Amino acid sequence: MTVKLTPYITLEGTAKEAIQFYEQTIGAKVLSIITYGEMPEMPNTFNDELKNLIAHAKLQVGETELMFSDAPGGLHIADGKRVTICITTNDVEKSKQIYEALRQDGQVNIPFQEESFSPGFGDVTDKYGVTFQIFTEYQN
């Protein structure tokens, strides 16, 4: 089992632009990218502009990774949510254990559940005001 901590940057419609910027300035390499339009079960209310926003992207920078997304629907990003910490494991039970521990006396932002991009994902702000995304990678 592995556990990694990755900075997760959420932007207001400029993730594609930021990814290109980081490719040029710090040699970032795109490992994966998915738009909201490519995700199953997206609401029919999403127009073409919203469908083209980044739902999830992973970049490699040297030996580390950065993750990006656009806030869905052009929502304003609250203070403390623009950069969060993504805790990645390859074990759903370990991810759930971490999520449950961090949510104690904290705030659940997204309940821990299976998503199209992860067999176990959740978002929680701990009792110290630090926001974590708990992400389980699919086993290859």
Side-chain angles (χ1 to χ4, degrees):
M1 187 209 38
T2 62
V3 177
K4 297 186 292 188
L5 299 179
T6 306
Y8 200 111
I9 300 168
T10 305
L11 300 172
E12 296 175 4
T14 58
K16 281 184 184 176
E17 180 182 317
I19 289 167
Q20 291 171 345
F21 175 76
Y22 293 123
E23 283 179 300
Q24 295 169 359
T25 58
I26 60 175
K29 177 184 171 189
V30 175
L31 299 176
S32 63
I33 192 165
I34 185 170
T35 65
Y36 283 104
E38 295 169 325
M39 292 182 64
E41 302 177 23
M42 268 299 108
N44 291 334
T45 57
F46 269 45
N47 61 29
D48 286 342
E49 182 180 337
L50 294 176
K51 287 179 182 178
N52 287 323
L53 292 176
I54 302 298
H56 180 73
K58 186 189 302 186
L59 281 64
Q60 183 173 346
V61 182
E63 297 295 315
T64 61
E65 294 177 348
L66 283 175
M67 293 182 180
F68 286 85
S69 69
D70 283 310
L75 297 173
H76 174 72
I77 301 163
D79 290 343
K81 288 287 287 177
R82 186 167 306 275
V83 178
T84 60
I85 298 170
C86 184
I87 300 176
T88 303
T89 81
N90 59 356
D91 180 274
V92 174
E93 288 308 312
K94 181 64 175 174
S95 292
K96 185 171 179 131
Q97 177 186 19
I98 292 168
Y99 176 88
E100 291 296 331
L102 288 171
R103 74 182 209 111
Q104 297 304 309
D105 298 322
Q107 174 186 332
V108 170
N109 303 315
I110 299 173
F112 189 84
Q113 60 194 8
E114 183 175 351
E115 297 284 355
S116 61
F117 54 87
S118 172
F121 175 82
D123 185 298
V124 63
T125 302
D126 72 10
K127 64 183 176 181
Y128 301 104
V130 178
T131 299
F132 292 90
Q133 296 181 47
I134 314 304
F135 177 80
T136 311
E137 290 183 318
Y138 281 106
Q139 298 282 345
N140 289 338

